[in-house]
Amino acid sequence: MNAIETEIIRHGLLASAEEMARNLCRTAYNTVVYEIHDYGIGIHDAAGDVVADAPGIAIFTRGNDHGIKEALNFLGADAMRPGDVFVLNYPYWSSAHTLDPLVFAPVHADGRLIGFASCRIHVLDLKQKDPGYVLDSTDMYQEGLFFPATRLYREGVPNDDVFNIIRYNSRMPERTIGDLQAQVSACVTGVRRTQEIAAKYGVDALVTAMDAINDHGEKLARLALAKLPKGTWTAEDFVDSDGVDLDRMIKLRATVTVTDDELVIDWTGSEHGVRGPINLPLGQTEALCSLVFKALTTPDTPVVAGNFRPLRVVTEPGSVMHAVPPMPTFTLWTGLLAGEVALKALSQGMPDKVPACSGGDVCSMMGLGVNPRTGESWLEATNEAVGFGAHAGGDGEDGVMHLSEPGCRNNPVEVLETKSPMFIESYGYRPDTGGAGRHRGGVGVSRVYRFTAPSTGICLVYKTKTKPWPIAGGQPGTNNRIVLNPGTEREVVQGGSYNRLEAGEVLVNDTGGGGGYGNPFERDPERVARDVRNGFVSAEAAAREYGVSVDPVTFAVDAAGTQRLRSAS
């Protein structure tokens, strides 16, 4: 193999993965998929290692590797025939909860297994105990139907028995089966395109190129690892609760060690005995650690399994970071929050390379009920943007998707209002939420929902009790929060919750801002004035937190007033 041919094959595989994603988005029934891009798509070698992906939720694609490897152990490669398509959602193997099924298909060429095409999405219902989402399960058996690498298609023929089981055990059978078939379509596309590459260049050339792609990915990661500071650092943070013991905050503890040969993320000391469903399958813990490692080492290149060969993840079975049967795993928010615990540890040794904490959550709101316009059941959801943490190079971004979901979008106002009895009263930035600093943390956002029919509002927000942490003398960001019926005698401020709402009731999703970087009094007063003019910082906060006097009408800096404020502090 020469480098040019390898590169042509690599780009062919990437194009195939992207075509899978476009196929999925055109055929899925679920706005969570085609609007938000809640998916993970990959093309893998015969061992299950990813060689090309189409970015969606970053931790999905790396988790697909884990699931395919578990399926190979369970069934054996010889049991996987051309035309087979499998579904796997057994959490301890699949790297996610039951509503994130992994659908994958083997790729055969010249009579041999040469790889896999995979697609994971969030489907709407697989007989979990509560419609929409489960926040308080205490064992796996309350969390829905399990498929342990089960054939949806057997050698190209639909397995009607499995589809009928799904149909009669789903509250939303048409949309659930439609989404699974969209996954199948994506995988069949990946199989076909990979076979076409094999036919054009030869099976041996394709297999050799796959090996070369991952070897090169490893080489890039090791070159970057060699440039990182060496040492060991430990940090802790907390999930608000496990959904069952509501007054018990759940500790996440990460110790990160960087050596010449590897980066180790050790979760020893994280909480044990967690009764609620925030426990993580091992595959998702490995995936979130892979995301952190990727961001540090090879952020500018596509994901390949070789990138992660220098990464080692240590967990304690039975802990919140390594669920074992029958521990509940449905509310996977630990996997979204834990990445920034690892970054918090790294910030102690390399504050110039990692950002302060973001708003720290994806702040998801899911509504469901019966739509009075159609008489049909509805379920719509959106994740909300947060402020990113400031960093050595500048301010945090304002109102962007959380770092665990960099390929995702939120659900547009027009879609939510068209498909559900929800009216979005306002949507915009949330001033004064970014942590003050020489570099300011990004601000969060606020979206106000008024329900026009009796509905259920499920709030998936699990970082409301601890503030987004700063770096180098900056100030923390402001917390996330959910507010029900603000300004009334029924006002409630909360986080993760399952809420029954009557017509006319209001739910506000306020997302947090990122932590600041550096001493706020070292921030250029003109930059503070610009923040006031743009509505990110109020004039009062400018004076209080930055020591800068800004005219709230003209937005001019009062130099004398600023001198007095900064001298007084």
Side-chain angles (χ1 to χ4, degrees):
M1 286 289 291
N2 61 66
I4 293 175
E5 192 172 41
T6 298
E7 191 70 355
I8 291 170
I9 290 173
R10 183 176 76 87
H11 280 276
L13 293 169
L14 286 168
S16 301
E18 191 61 38
E19 185 179 350
M20 291 171 65
R22 300 285 70 76
N23 187 317
L24 174 72
C25 289
R26 285 195 299 268
T27 56
Y29 283 47
N30 179 355
T31 59
V32 171
V33 178
Y34 65 77
E35 290 288 355
I36 296 176
H37 292 180
D38 190 331
Y39 58 71
I41 286 172
I43 295 176
H44 310 252
D45 64 18
D49 289 319
V50 67
V51 294
D53 82 333
I57 291 187
I59 57 175
F60 270 7
T61 303
R62 183 60 182 159
N64 292 2
D65 291 26
H66 187 96
I68 291 172
K69 290 174 184 292
E70 291 286 356
L72 283 167
N73 290 336
F74 180 57
L75 295 175
D78 292 341
M80 298 181 179
R81 308 300 303 160
D84 285 353
V85 182
F86 297 87
V87 59
L88 168 62
N89 75 334
Y90 184 60
Y92 318 99
W93 296 354
S94 74
S95 312
H97 65 184
T98 52
L99 291 193
D100 290 341
L102 168 62
V103 173
F104 65 94
V107 182
H108 291 83
D110 289 353
R112 59 191 274 202
L113 176 66
I114 62 170
F116 297 89
S118 72
C119 177
R120 185 194 303 273
I121 69 171
H122 180 85
V123 300
L124 297 181
D125 197 281
L126 282 172
K127 206 186 178 181
Q128 70 280 3
K129 78 180 186 71
D130 299 316
Y133 226 85
V134 177
L135 306 186
D136 60 355
S137 51
T138 54
D139 64 48
M140 59 185 277
Y141 302 106
Q142 302 169 30
E143 298 184 342
L145 294 173
F146 298 110
F147 295 100
T150 303
R151 287 174 181 81
L152 284 172
Y153 282 72
R154 186 184 298 272
E155 298 187 54
V157 178
N159 187 346
D160 289 337
D161 291 341
V162 172
F163 281 110
N164 284 331
I165 289 171
I166 295 169
R167 180 173 289 108
Y168 286 93
N169 284 276
S170 174
R171 298 172 181 90
M172 308 180 95
E174 179 183 0
R175 295 175 71 181
T176 299
I177 290 176
D179 285 338
L180 287 170
Q181 291 284 32
Q183 290 179 267
V184 171
S185 180
C187 288
V188 170
T189 298
V191 170
R192 182 171 62 248
R193 294 297 185 229
T194 306
Q195 288 173 333
E196 290 171 356
I197 294 171
K200 184 173 183 178
Y201 297 98
V203 172
D204 289 339
L206 174 57
V207 170
T208 301
M210 287 178 168
D211 291 340
I213 288 166
N214 273 321
D215 288 344
H216 183 252
E218 177 185 5
K219 184 180 295 185
L220 292 176
R222 291 195 182 280
L223 288 171
L225 179 66
K227 299 175 184 178
L228 294 178
K230 307 303 185 286
T232 298
W233 309 280
T234 298
E236 297 179 354
D237 210 336
F238 295 84
V239 183
D240 284 353
S241 78
D242 66 357
V244 174
D245 296 320
L246 300 181
D247 295 327
R248 176 191 179 189
M249 296 176 67
I250 305 302
K251 181 173 70 175
L252 309 180
R253 186 176 194 270
T255 298
V256 183
T257 300
V258 181
T259 71
D260 291 331
D261 300 317
E262 63 179 0
L263 187 147
V264 183
I265 303 181
D266 185 347
W267 296 98
T268 300
S270 295
E271 206 84 21
H272 282 252
V274 176
R275 293 202 303 148
I278 66 165
N279 300 290
L280 284 191
L282 176 60
Q284 185 157 129
T285 299
E286 293 174 344
L288 73 90
C289 293
S290 297
L291 178 57
V292 171
F293 184 75
K294 179 72 174 170
L296 274 176
T297 55
T298 55
D300 298 324
T301 61
V303 169
V304 297
N307 293 150
F308 309 107
R309 290 174 183 167
L311 170 67
R312 182 159 59 94
V313 179
V314 178
T315 60
E316 297 175 298
S319 73
V320 69
M321 301 302 292
H322 187 158
V324 296
M327 291 172 65
T329 61
F330 200 98
T331 310
L332 295 171
W333 251 241
T334 304
L336 307 177
L337 276 57
E340 289 186 292
V341 182
L343 290 177
K344 187 178 183 181
L346 287 163
S347 72
Q348 300 168 36
M350 48 188 87
D352 58 329
K353 293 186 179 295
V354 300
C357 187
S358 75
D361 203 320
V362 302
C363 300
S364 184
M365 203 294 290
M366 178 181 296
L368 58 97
V370 175
N371 192 332
R373 295 196 297 265
T374 64
E376 297 178 351
S377 296
W378 67 275
L379 190 157
E380 295 297 332
T382 188
N383 298 338
E384 214 59 89
V386 296
F388 262 39
H391 49 89
D395 295 348
E397 293 295 326
D398 302 296
V400 294
M401 301 307 291
H402 185 252
L403 56 85
S404 64
E405 301 186 349
C408 293
R409 312 180 300 192
N410 59 17
N411 219 336
V413 169
E414 295 82 359
V415 171
L416 292 173
E417 292 185 341
T418 299
K419 291 181 174 291
S420 71
M422 294 190 293
F423 176 69
I424 310 304
E425 292 194 336
S426 65
Y427 182 35
Y429 287 124
R430 191 180 170 208
D432 292 337
T433 52
R438 183 169 72 251
H439 301 306
R440 173 180 59 78
V443 300
V445 302
S446 179
R447 194 184 314 226
V448 180
Y449 301 80
R450 182 177 295 277
F451 292 84
T452 60
S455 305
T456 296
I458 304 173
C459 301
L460 295 157
V461 185
Y462 283 85
K463 186 178 175 62
T464 68
K465 297 179 181 178
T466 60
K467 289 183 176 295
W469 44 268
I471 293 179
Q475 295 299 308
T478 299
N479 303 66
N480 307 291
R481 65 177 189 173
I482 299 292
V483 185
L484 300 180
N485 299 307
T488 73
E489 60 183 15
R490 295 172 295 143
E491 178 176 301
V492 177
V493 179
Q494 58 185 16
S497 54
Y498 207 97
N499 303 287
R500 309 290 185 181
L501 301 166
E502 297 301 322
E505 292 200 271
V506 171
L507 185 151
V508 182
N509 191 354
D510 284 340
T511 75
Y517 186 103
N519 184 348
F521 278 27
E522 295 177 1
R523 188 169 178 83
D524 182 349
E526 292 298 331
R527 295 179 69 192
V528 177
R530 184 178 62 192
D531 288 338
V532 175
R533 182 174 66 248
N534 290 333
F536 296 136
V537 176
S538 66
E540 294 78 13
R544 181 177 65 251
E545 297 178 8
Y546 293 95
V548 176
S549 178
V550 179
D551 187 297
V553 177
T554 67
F555 307 115
V557 174
D558 178 349
T562 297
Q563 179 65 35
R564 287 194 299 272
L565 287 169
R566 290 191 166 181
S567 298
S569 299

